[in-house]
Amino acid sequence: MNSDLINERKDSTVNVEEMKNFLGHIQYGSESRFHEMMNLRDRMVAKIRPIYEENFYNLDRDEKYEMIFKKSLEIYDFLKENKISSDSTDVMKLGVIGGVLGPEKILFTLHTAAFKVSIELWGTNDQVKYWNSVMNSNFVIGTYIQTEIGHGTYVRGLETTATYDKVSKEFIINSPTLTSIKFWPGTGGITANFGIVMAKLIIDDKDLGIQAFIVQLRDFKNHRNIPGIETGDIGKKGGFESHDNGYIKFSNIRIPLFNMLMKNAVVHADGRFEKTGSELIMYACMLLLRGGLCSFGSILLSLSTTIAVRYSAVRRQTSNLEGIEPQIMDYQTQQFRIFHSLSSTYSYIFAANYLIKQITNTRSETNNFALIKPADLSRLHAISAGLKAQTFSTCLRFAQINRLCCGGHGYSAASGLIPIIQEADAGCTYEGDNVVLLLQTARYLLKCAQKGISPHYQPENWNNLVESDLFKQFKIYFDIYHRLYDEFMTEISGKMFFLIKEKGFSEYQAWNECTVQLVNIAKLYISIYVVSCSFASISLNQNENNRLVLSQLLKLFILYEITEDYAANTIRLNILDADGMKEFSERLLSLLKKVRKDSVVLVDSFNYLDSNLCSVLGAYDGNVYQKLFEFAKNSKLNTNNVHESYHRVLKPYFDKNKLRAQL
Amino acid sequence: MNSDLINERKDSTVNVEEMKNFLGHIQYGSESRFHEMMNLRDRMVAKIRPIYEENFYNLDRDEKYEMIFKKSLEIYDFLKENKISSDSTDVMKLGVIGGVLGPEKILFTLHTAAFKVSIELWGTNDQVKYWNSVMNSNFVIGTYIQTEIGHGTYVRGLETTATYDKVSKEFIINSPTLTSIKFWPGTGGITANFGIVMAKLIIDDKDLGIQAFIVQLRDFKNHRNIPGIETGDIGKKGGFESHDNGYIKFSNIRIPLFNMLMKNAVVHADGRFEKTGSELIMYACMLLLRGGLCSFGSILLSLSTTIAVRYSAVRRQTSNLEGIEPQIMDYQTQQFRIFHSLSSTYSYIFAANYLIKQITNTRSETNNFALIKPADLSRLHAISAGLKAQTFSTCLRFAQINRLCCGGHGYSAASGLIPIIQEADAGCTYEGDNVVLLLQTARYLLKCAQKGISPHYQPENWNNLVESDLFKQFKIYFDIYHRLYDEFMTEISGKMFFLIKEKGFSEYQAWNECTVQLVNIAKLYISIYVVSCSFASISLNQNENNRLVLSQLLKLFILYEITEDYAANTIRLNILDADGMKEFSERLLSLLKKVRKDSVVLVDSFNYLDSNLCSVLGAYDGNVYQKLFEFAKNSKLNTNNVHESYHRVLKPYFDKNKLRAQL
């Protein structure tokens, strides 16, 4: 064990076991569920060799694909044996599956889960029953097929057609153009054998909008594509090497009438079209998905933070006055970056799990999403869209900063940081482009402003919380956030009003003239949600010292926001004056020293195995350099001391040029 | 040709050929040299198949390494035939070599060039002569070997020893510990056969500091490691798959006395040690290197900008009121990001090439770096360190933003953006960690402040330039920059003074309490350099309309800096009031529309071949979707419609579980 890490752990005031339990409770709903999941993880890791122990980075894409597919099936079976659904969000959390797969997510169940949920939400009772029976007697690997080469965000723009043939009572699914070819569905290339295809329903040449159709992609018998369907992997990406995102091309294939999911709209056998259900159901599906994504993003963030904080305690660099190389964690510039990441991690974990609780509560109160009050649903939608965006932006920002904070070694794949950056990057685009999502949030905020109602969410029991002693320390910050929000919204609304009333702009034009500011106010709105949920969560902590440490960390997070991200608007809109801002900046710098002494234990509290982190820099025992050298020696390029290409490239070059072969 | 791109090119007011010549002049020193280089590139591309036309992304590391090595040798021979040195910085520019290799840099000559320069700078005349003769009669692939597993930034902390043996008149090079093993040298793993090793000189048990030693790593005859030396690749990294960064371990190997480079310090045969030369020579070497790096970084930046701007003209998304999907370039949020990138690209190109000119002029004026006035050298060093840091930070920032601006397809390797992000990321660490470099700049600035002298550099002919009409439009901005700098420096100096005089801190402690602010002022200082050089460069443009367009672009760049990066300090320190800031923000938003109409032509002016960009999204003809689909179909995972792993994984799983093989 590295002696610096021993000292960091000894000198911290945090009770690490209680902190783990507290975070476990937050993330898994109860301490007992947390322990159950950790126990499951440990048993899984004992049974299935984690990729951290395989020579994973040396594999090519084919080999990675095969390894992850194989382990995914093993995990799937292991979970079945243990009577735990592999779709369970608790299991899907990287903390559990990640023990085996590190940052490589389980290959198919994630997508099959989305496939199943869509059938449940959009299918009639008969359809749900039928497709469940299919799934019970076959090994269905499902995927959700929406985006096309030429169409992403704008669902109504999809070109794939589903034309109803009244004679045969079938739909003809077709990709009429190059740009209509489906692109990106996860596992859609070479793995999935079934898919839900979003396509434009056409009856009697009439465009009836986008509907969902179940299509078999590959034969159960031999896994070949069904005739008329061509699927394939889309090639290398910025990450996810083991995963096949697919392209899918339909050449007038036919599926039965029954394969359109008909809970919300019905096509009768004679071709009559009827809208039946509520569109709110669409929101419900997205809410569940986004809650999960926020949690996933916050976990990714915690992984990169753990690596950077531990390595900053181990790494020593440059000399101080006594000629000793200090731990790099003692440099202000290092603290300023990694503790920003640390404080953000805790805040986003609190917010993600708060959102999930909020969605679950809303769902169980009404027992049916369709019964939620529209006002509540709109707010939940605005929060979940914005929080997904901000979680992944934050995750990407700090994954990259943490990589830089680890210096050169951070750039080695041995650091474990590379796939985290890559996944965070992807997360900023998939399931909704971050900017588009923030504009959805902003649209809600603007409507609230026009109606004169507050958009802000108050966590449970908030009226009591604001009476607590702890809140006294935070009141000033909450006041700043809210005043800033109000002033900023007044400014934007004023600009919109001016453009429409004075300049004669349409609402559409005025909106597009303000989108840069609207994105910014949406971010601020989400920040207020994040700090509110964080404060509410911390208040639940029963260990006085741990609570104190967490409240310092939250203060640090808030001070970063006010003095960095929102500083310009805060001064400009007169929320703080120059002296006030300067004092806040100094307060931030002095808090860094307080957080420093508990920082290693604060990342230990995330409770990761080394096989979760897949990082030699973040290993629990801190034996960084030995592991790094082992990693290096294992490089595939080192199979022979003289690389085999020598005989094909350098040797012939020497020979051709008759270069002297000795000195 | 994509019709949107046709229209963009038709509607622009920019004279693209004149703009190309202007940028070519800036980057290659003269128009004729620019044309010579472009001609060279085109002939090279005609002779050596560019990797853009190979199936490069499907190769594994071994194959990539071999392909790049092979093409590097072909390029090397081609340049020799054309009597152009492969070390020439003009050739090394990605614009030239990049025609064949895309973002994969030529494997060995870059490092061999550093190897050669070091010998020239640190070797005696006899040594230079001898080693040149070795290089002329052998194929020396050299590398520069400094960093160790446990030691990076802090050169004095290196542990590798070079112990002088008076009896045999040899040095014994040794890696005494795990942490002393050399790590990261480019080509140091399996390619290089020679290296300059930085090691601690020890004579009679006395530590005489770090010196440079020439060591042969591999045998010319068979490329095997010389006995006592173990080298190997360090494994997968965050990019540079085709490149072998190495580890090098020495086990008491012996080299002749002659192999220590002795221009600055001499070891006599009897073991006497004598310092002879000036340490300024070290700076000189770094200056040249950093000028080149700044240029390289600005080219990388221009590549990602080109891709994002062109694709934003081709991509259409979401509907406007008329039901037409607009080009995404028409959305304010998209403009706000990609034109930030575009304006930064031009500014950093101007700054990098200005710095190179400044270094070259200083060198030719004195004909010897050792004769430069120390004050000039200190400033050049401060600028080059800070500009390297800011160039790569900016390059990484926008490579990532540009990737996000291209949506999902930006994440496909087909976008060409992935290796640009990866190279930019690496550039923030190699040849000096960005934060460490900015602190070096800050140290210089603090010294100037203490001496009461201005640290700012005024481009050539500045006194005339400020009399020009063009300057009248920029005066307000320059005033803001300079007042901001002065106020900010006063604040930091005040804090340092207070800590030392009032609180009794040592200078070392006070410095470490201020490093976060010091990094920020160093960034501001570099910004002032960048805008000054940009203004001076634009003033040289003879085409009135092109000059106007460039001056708008520079204004846009400045407005981003003032209203985004430096906004908080600008208001806080009372340089602008709230209304002033708001007006600047609105000015920025309205400039976006002006820049929009020339944006495609402004990236066309960088004059890249498609094989430079290696991007289907950035292709000149805009046939994005067809190329993207071709790329997808070529994926290695699609070799067979049913992936071969099916027979090893899924089929046995079906059989084991006796799953129904049909529906």
Side-chain angles (χ1 to χ4, degrees):
Chain A
M1 182 76 73
N2 172 279
S3 61
D4 285 318
L5 284 182
I6 292 176
N7 291 333
E8 295 294 337
R9 287 171 181 139
K10 203 178 62 197
D11 296 345
S12 166
T13 62
V14 169
N15 180 322
V16 67
E17 287 310 316
E18 290 194 18
M19 191 64 98
K20 282 183 187 174
N21 285 333
F22 172 70
L23 279 175
H25 185 135
I26 294 276
Q27 292 190 282
Y28 295 91
S30 73
E31 273 190 41
S32 60
R33 178 72 172 169
F34 163 60
H35 288 294
E36 188 191 337
M37 286 294 118
M38 292 301 107
N39 178 279
L40 183 79
R41 177 187 70 181
D42 295 347
R43 283 185 294 125
M44 193 151 54
V45 169
K47 189 163 181 189
I48 309 168
R49 193 175 154 101
I51 65 163
Y52 185 51
E53 293 170 21
E54 310 269 10
N55 215 339
F56 192 71
Y57 290 110
N58 276 335
L59 305 184
D60 69 14
R61 266 198 84 197
D62 289 287
E63 293 163 333
K64 281 185 181 170
Y65 171 76
E66 181 166 340
M67 180 183 280
I68 297 300
F69 199 0
K70 199 154 166 289
K71 288 196 195 287
S72 295
L73 287 170
E74 286 171 26
I75 290 171
Y76 182 79
D77 282 348
F78 176 83
L79 294 172
K80 249 193 347 204
E81 283 160 28
N82 284 273
K83 299 190 174 36
I84 289 172
S85 159
S86 59
D87 317 338
S88 144
T89 52
D90 285 346
V91 168
M92 290 308 296
K93 278 178 182 154
L94 268 187
V96 180
I97 298 281
V100 173
L101 293 182
E104 302 289 319
K105 284 192 301 296
I106 193 163
L107 186 59
F108 58 87
T109 62
L110 185 76
H111 299 283
T112 301
F115 178 81
K116 279 190 204 169
V117 168
S118 306
I119 294 176
E120 271 164 40
L121 289 171
W122 301 335
T124 62
N125 289 344
D126 280 357
Q127 288 179 316
V128 173
K129 214 171 130 187
Y130 173 76
W131 291 110
N132 274 337
S133 81
V134 171
M135 285 190 268
N136 284 335
S137 53
N138 295 276
F139 195 67
V140 170
I141 306 178
T143 179
Y144 179 82
I145 302 175
Q146 179 169 310
T147 51
E148 299 173 352
I149 291 195
H151 309 277
T153 295
Y154 183 52
V155 178
R156 275 174 295 162
L158 295 176
E159 290 181 79
T160 303
T161 50
T163 310
Y164 184 57
D165 176 349
K166 277 186 243 182
V167 180
S168 67
K169 312 216 182 324
E170 289 169 325
F171 294 105
I172 303 162
I173 310 285
N174 194 39
S175 310
T177 59
L178 172 72
T179 45
S180 76
I181 295 168
K182 296 290 184 181
F183 219 78
W184 283 105
T187 74
I190 60 173
T191 311
N193 46 24
F194 259 86
I196 288 184
V197 178
M198 303 306 279
K200 201 193 286 175
L201 173 62
I202 291 172
I203 306 179
D204 295 335
D205 297 330
K206 207 173 145 197
D207 176 352
L208 294 160
I210 302 301
Q211 301 293 336
F213 303 85
I214 299 191
V215 178
Q216 184 166 5
L217 304 171
R218 288 179 178 271
D219 197 316
F220 282 124
K221 220 161 27 205
N222 52 25
H223 208 60
R224 288 207 196 110
N225 270 149
I226 302 293
I229 297 179
E230 182 191 340
T231 75
D233 173 67
I234 64 165
K236 270 262 212 180
K237 301 174 298 272
F240 294 88
E241 281 219 314
S242 62
H243 285 236
D244 61 314
N245 293 76
Y247 70 83
I248 302 118
K249 190 166 173 249
F250 302 103
S251 304
N252 290 311
I253 61 129
R254 290 174 169 264
I255 57 169
L257 174 60
F258 186 74
N259 284 25
M260 176 174 137
L261 293 173
M262 297 210 196
K263 192 173 192 170
N264 303 313
V266 175
V267 173
H268 296 281
D270 60 4
R272 270 181 308 122
F273 177 76
E274 192 186 344
K275 283 211 169 186
T276 50
S278 149
E279 288 199 342
L280 289 178
I281 281 303
M282 291 290 290
Y283 282 98
C285 183
M286 280 198 294
L287 281 180
L288 291 170
L289 179 66
R290 287 195 183 138
L293 284 174
C294 292
S295 159
F296 170 58
S298 68
I299 288 171
L300 264 188
L301 179 53
S302 68
L303 291 169
S304 81
T305 302
T306 303
I307 295 165
V309 168
R310 284 193 185 147
Y311 182 59
S312 297
V314 172
R315 180 71 169 179
R316 292 174 167 271
Q317 189 74 276
T318 311
S319 138
N320 63 14
L321 290 183
E322 290 83 43
I324 293 164
E325 291 194 83
Q327 291 166 278
I328 57 175
M329 186 183 270
D330 285 327
Y331 291 107
Q332 192 187 50
T333 46
Q334 189 79 357
Q335 294 179 351
F336 189 74
R337 294 180 290 166
I338 59 174
F339 298 158
H340 196 174
S341 183
L342 180 63
S343 64
S344 302
T345 303
Y346 269 83
S347 294
Y348 277 91
I349 287 176
F350 291 139
N353 289 285
Y354 215 97
L355 175 65
I356 290 172
K357 199 164 71 177
Q358 206 181 330
I359 295 170
T360 316
N361 287 350
T362 311
R363 196 186 198 187
S364 63
E365 273 166 27
T366 58
N367 206 11
N368 180 348
F369 265 116
L371 298 177
I372 304 173
K373 276 184 277 180
D376 286 351
L377 189 63
S378 302
R379 188 166 62 193
L380 256 183
H381 176 256
I383 293 170
S384 67
L387 188 61
K388 181 272 183 185
Q390 283 303 86
T391 301
F392 279 97
S393 295
T394 305
C395 184
L396 174 58
R397 173 182 180 185
F398 290 110
Q400 183 61 59
I401 287 176
N402 287 327
R403 166 0 238 144
L404 294 169
C405 282
C406 290
H409 297 341
Y411 196 69
S412 165
S415 73
L417 292 165
I418 307 304
I420 298 175
I421 295 174
Q422 294 171 337
E423 297 230 2
D425 182 9
C428 293
T429 301
Y430 65 55
E431 305 300 339
D433 173 271
N434 277 0
V435 171
V436 173
L437 290 179
L438 286 166
L439 286 172
Q440 288 181 9
T441 306
R443 202 172 281 282
Y444 166 76
L445 300 178
L446 211 55
K447 272 191 197 145
C448 286
Q450 281 158 354
K451 291 185 197 156
I453 57 175
S454 165
H456 300 294
Y457 173 77
Q458 289 188 347
E460 268 175 55
N461 202 23
W462 189 251
N463 291 335
N464 287 331
L465 288 179
V466 297
E467 298 297 322
S468 65
D469 278 348
L470 190 59
F471 191 79
K472 285 183 193 134
Q473 301 169 33
F474 284 88
K475 186 171 181 312
I476 178 174
Y477 303 122
F478 278 98
D479 286 348
I480 289 172
Y481 274 114
H482 283 287
R483 280 168 52 214
L484 179 60
Y485 180 87
D486 292 341
E487 290 291 333
F488 196 20
M489 182 49 92
T490 303
E491 184 173 83
I492 296 172
S493 308
K495 183 175 170 188
M496 295 272 294
F497 185 84
F498 170 81
L499 291 172
I500 293 168
K501 299 292 169 190
E502 304 286 319
K503 294 265 230 166
F505 281 36
S506 68
E507 278 221 33
Y508 176 87
Q509 286 172 313
W511 167 267
N512 199 29
E513 291 289 310
C514 295
T515 46
V516 167
Q517 284 128 305
L518 285 162
V519 164
N520 285 334
I521 198 161
K523 288 181 186 169
L524 176 60
Y525 172 73
I526 295 300
S527 284
I528 295 175
Y529 180 79
V530 169
V531 296
S532 303
C533 297
S534 297
F535 181 78
S537 303
I538 288 170
S539 299
L540 297 172
N541 193 310
Q542 300 297 316
N543 178 310
E544 199 172 332
N545 183 61
N546 285 4
R547 191 170 63 242
L548 173 74
V549 170
L550 290 176
S551 70
Q552 277 174 354
L553 205 58
L554 177 58
K555 258 179 236 171
L556 185 62
F557 175 74
I558 291 171
L559 287 166
Y560 276 112
E561 292 219 316
I562 296 177
T563 64
E564 298 277 313
D565 301 338
Y566 301 123
N569 279 331
T570 305
I571 312 185
R572 187 173 64 82
L573 297 168
N574 243 319
I575 316 295
L576 273 181
D577 63 12
D579 287 342
M581 189 57 81
K582 196 171 161 185
E583 202 237 298
F584 272 34
S585 296
E586 289 298 332
R587 207 183 280 184
L588 187 161
L589 294 178
S590 52
L591 255 182
L592 293 177
K593 289 180 197 147
K594 288 193 188 168
V595 168
R596 188 227 168 288
K597 71 175 193 314
D598 296 312
S599 57
V600 166
V601 173
L602 283 168
V603 301
D604 287 348
S605 301
F606 298 138
N607 203 40
Y608 290 122
L609 304 175
D610 282 355
S611 61
N612 283 105
L613 298 164
C614 288
S615 166
V616 309
L617 305 185
Y620 185 82
D621 67 8
N623 286 338
V624 166
Y625 301 122
Q626 200 173 324
K627 290 178 213 272
L628 187 62
F629 189 48
E630 290 303 318
F631 179 91
K633 283 195 290 190
N634 268 327
S635 168
K636 206 181 159 209
L637 294 188
N638 299 335
T639 311
N640 301 301
N641 181 261
V642 176
H643 191 259
E644 57 173 14
S645 68
Y646 168 75
H647 304 284
R648 288 187 296 267
V649 182
L650 197 56
K651 179 75 165 46
Y653 189 82
F654 268 82
D655 294 346
K656 185 185 83 182
N657 291 288
K658 298 193 181 60
L659 288 161
R660 271 171 56 186
Q662 57 190 25
L663 194 53
Chain B
M1 182 75 74
N2 172 278
S3 62
D4 286 319
L5 283 182
I6 292 176
N7 291 333
E8 296 293 338
R9 286 173 181 137
K10 204 178 62 199
D11 297 344
S12 167
T13 63
V14 168
N15 181 322
V16 66
E17 288 310 316
E18 289 194 21
M19 192 63 99
K20 282 183 187 173
N21 285 334
F22 173 68
L23 278 176
H25 185 135
I26 294 276
Q27 292 190 282
Y28 295 92
S30 74
E31 275 189 41
S32 60
R33 177 72 171 167
F34 163 60
H35 288 293
E36 187 190 337
M37 285 294 119
M38 291 302 105
N39 180 279
L40 183 78
R41 178 187 68 179
D42 296 346
R43 284 187 291 123
M44 192 152 54
V45 168
K47 187 160 182 191
I48 308 168
R49 191 176 155 101
I51 65 162
Y52 185 51
E53 293 170 21
E54 309 270 9
N55 214 338
F56 191 71
Y57 290 111
N58 276 333
L59 305 183
D60 70 13
R61 270 198 81 197
D62 288 288
E63 292 164 335
K64 282 186 179 169
Y65 170 77
E66 181 166 340
M67 180 183 280
I68 297 301
F69 199 0
K70 200 155 163 287
K71 288 194 194 291
S72 296
L73 287 170
E74 285 170 28
I75 291 171
Y76 181 80
D77 281 350
F78 175 84
L79 294 172
K80 247 192 349 205
E81 283 160 26
N82 284 274
K83 298 193 174 34
I84 289 173
S85 159
S86 59
D87 319 337
S88 143
T89 53
D90 285 345
V91 168
M92 289 308 297
K93 277 178 185 156
L94 266 187
V96 181
I97 297 280
V100 174
L101 293 183
E104 302 288 318
K105 285 193 299 296
I106 191 162
L107 187 60
F108 57 88
T109 62
L110 185 77
H111 299 282
T112 301
F115 176 83
K116 280 191 204 165
V117 168
S118 305
I119 293 175
E120 270 163 39
L121 288 171
W122 301 335
T124 61
N125 290 345
D126 280 356
Q127 288 179 316
V128 174
K129 213 169 131 191
Y130 173 76
W131 291 109
N132 275 337
S133 81
V134 170
M135 286 190 268
N136 285 336
S137 54
N138 296 274
F139 195 67
V140 169
I141 306 177
T143 179
Y144 178 82
I145 302 174
Q146 180 168 309
T147 51
E148 299 173 352
I149 291 196
H151 308 279
T153 296
Y154 183 55
V155 179
R156 273 174 295 161
L158 295 176
E159 292 179 79
T160 303
T161 50
T163 309
Y164 185 59
D165 175 350
K166 278 186 242 183
V167 180
S168 67
K169 313 222 182 318
E170 289 169 322
F171 295 105
I172 304 161
I173 310 285
N174 195 36
S175 309
T177 60
L178 172 73
T179 45
S180 76
I181 295 169
K182 296 289 185 183
F183 219 76
W184 284 105
T187 74
I190 60 174
T191 311
N193 47 25
F194 260 85
I196 288 185
V197 177
M198 304 305 280
K200 200 191 287 177
L201 172 63
I202 290 172
I203 305 179
D204 296 334
D205 296 328
K206 209 173 146 197
D207 175 353
L208 294 160
I210 303 300
Q211 301 293 338
F213 303 85
I214 298 189
V215 178
Q216 183 165 7
L217 304 172
R218 289 180 178 271
D219 197 315
F220 282 121
K221 224 169 12 213
N222 51 24
H223 208 57
R224 287 207 198 110
N225 271 148
I226 302 293
I229 297 179
E230 181 191 340
T231 76
D233 173 67
I234 63 164
K236 270 264 210 178
K237 302 173 296 270
F240 295 87
E241 280 219 315
S242 62
H243 286 235
D244 61 313
N245 294 75
Y247 71 84
I248 302 118
K249 189 165 175 252
F250 302 103
S251 304
N252 290 311
I253 61 128
R254 288 173 170 266
I255 57 169
L257 174 59
F258 185 75
N259 283 25
M260 175 174 138
L261 293 173
M262 298 208 195
K263 190 172 191 171
N264 302 314
V266 176
V267 172
H268 295 281
D270 61 5
R272 269 182 309 122
F273 178 76
E274 192 185 345
K275 283 211 169 190
T276 50
S278 147
E279 291 200 342
L280 288 179
I281 280 303
M282 291 289 289
Y283 281 97
C285 183
M286 280 197 294
L287 282 179
L288 292 170
L289 179 66
R290 288 199 181 134
L293 283 175
C294 292
S295 159
F296 169 60
S298 70
I299 288 170
L300 263 189
L301 179 53
S302 68
L303 291 169
S304 82
T305 302
T306 303
I307 295 166
V309 168
R310 285 193 185 148
Y311 181 61
S312 298
V314 171
R315 181 69 167 180
R316 292 174 168 270
Q317 189 73 274
T318 310
S319 139
N320 64 14
L321 289 183
E322 291 83 42
I324 294 164
E325 292 193 83
Q327 293 167 278
I328 57 174
M329 186 183 269
D330 284 328
Y331 292 106
Q332 192 188 50
T333 46
Q334 189 79 357
Q335 294 180 351
F336 189 75
R337 293 179 292 166
I338 60 175
F339 298 158
H340 196 175
S341 182
L342 180 63
S343 64
S344 302
T345 303
Y346 270 83
S347 294
Y348 276 91
I349 287 176
F350 292 138
N353 289 285
Y354 215 98
L355 175 65
I356 290 171
K357 198 164 72 176
Q358 204 182 332
I359 294 170
T360 316
N361 287 350
T362 311
R363 197 185 197 185
S364 63
E365 272 167 28
T366 58
N367 206 8
N368 180 346
F369 266 116
L371 297 178
I372 303 173
K373 277 184 277 178
D376 287 350
L377 189 63
S378 302
R379 189 167 61 192
L380 257 183
H381 176 255
I383 292 171
S384 67
L387 188 61
K388 181 273 183 186
Q390 282 305 84
T391 302
F392 278 97
S393 294
T394 304
C395 184
L396 175 58
R397 175 183 180 184
F398 290 110
Q400 183 62 58
I401 286 175
N402 288 328
R403 165 1 238 145
L404 293 170
C405 282
C406 291
H409 297 340
Y411 196 69
S412 165
S415 74
L417 292 166
I418 308 301
I420 298 175
I421 295 175
Q422 293 171 338
E423 297 228 3
D425 182 10
C428 293
T429 301
Y430 64 56
E431 305 301 339
D433 172 271
N434 277 1
V435 171
V436 173
L437 290 179
L438 286 166
L439 286 172
Q440 288 180 8
T441 306
R443 201 173 282 283
Y444 166 75
L445 300 177
L446 210 55
K447 272 191 196 142
C448 287
Q450 282 158 354
K451 289 184 198 155
I453 57 175
S454 164
H456 300 294
Y457 173 76
Q458 289 187 345
E460 268 175 55
N461 201 23
W462 189 251
N463 292 334
N464 288 332
L465 288 178
V466 297
E467 299 297 323
S468 66
D469 279 347
L470 191 59
F471 191 79
K472 283 182 195 137
Q473 301 169 34
F474 284 88
K475 184 170 183 313
I476 176 174
Y477 303 123
F478 278 99
D479 286 348
I480 289 171
Y481 274 115
H482 283 287
R483 280 168 51 215
L484 179 60
Y485 180 88
D486 292 342
E487 291 291 333
F488 196 20
M489 183 48 95
T490 305
E491 183 173 85
I492 296 172
S493 308
K495 183 176 170 185
M496 294 271 295
F497 185 84
F498 170 80
L499 290 173
I500 293 167
K501 299 291 168 189
E502 304 286 318
K503 294 264 232 165
F505 281 36
S506 69
E507 280 223 31
Y508 175 87
Q509 286 170 313
W511 167 267
N512 198 30
E513 292 289 309
C514 295
T515 44
V516 167
Q517 285 128 303
L518 286 162
V519 164
N520 285 334
I521 200 161
K523 288 180 186 172
L524 175 61
Y525 172 73
I526 295 301
S527 284
I528 295 174
Y529 180 79
V530 169
V531 296
S532 303
C533 296
S534 297
F535 181 80
S537 302
I538 288 169
S539 300
L540 297 172
N541 193 310
Q542 301 297 315
N543 178 311
E544 199 173 330
N545 183 63
N546 284 3
R547 191 170 63 241
L548 173 73
V549 170
L550 289 177
S551 70
Q552 277 173 355
L553 206 58
L554 177 57
K555 259 179 234 169
L556 186 61
F557 175 73
I558 291 171
L559 286 167
Y560 276 113
E561 292 220 317
I562 296 177
T563 65
E564 298 276 314
D565 301 340
Y566 302 124
N569 280 331
T570 305
I571 312 185
R572 187 174 65 81
L573 297 168
N574 244 320
I575 315 297
L576 274 180
D577 63 13
D579 287 342
M581 187 56 80
K582 196 172 160 183
E583 202 237 300
F584 273 33
S585 295
E586 290 298 330
R587 204 181 283 184
L588 188 160
L589 293 178
S590 51
L591 256 181
L592 293 177
K593 287 178 202 152
K594 290 194 185 166
V595 168
R596 188 223 169 291
K597 70 175 195 310
D598 296 312
S599 56
V600 167
V601 173
L602 283 169
V603 301
D604 287 349
S605 302
F606 298 137
N607 203 41
Y608 291 122
L609 303 176
D610 282 355
S611 62
N612 284 106
L613 298 165
C614 289
S615 167
V616 308
L617 305 186
Y620 185 81
D621 68 8
N623 287 338
V624 166
Y625 301 122
Q626 200 173 323
K627 290 179 212 268
L628 187 62
F629 189 47
E630 290 304 319
F631 180 90
K633 284 196 289 190
N634 268 329
S635 168
K636 206 180 159 210
L637 294 187
N638 299 334
T639 311
N640 300 301
N641 180 259
V642 176
H643 191 259
E644 56 173 13
S645 68
Y646 168 76
H647 305 284
R648 287 188 296 267
V649 181
L650 197 56
K651 180 73 166 50
Y653 189 81
F654 269 80
D655 294 345
K656 187 184 81 183
N657 291 287
K658 299 192 182 56
L659 289 162
R660 270 171 58 186
Q662 55 189 28
L663 193 53

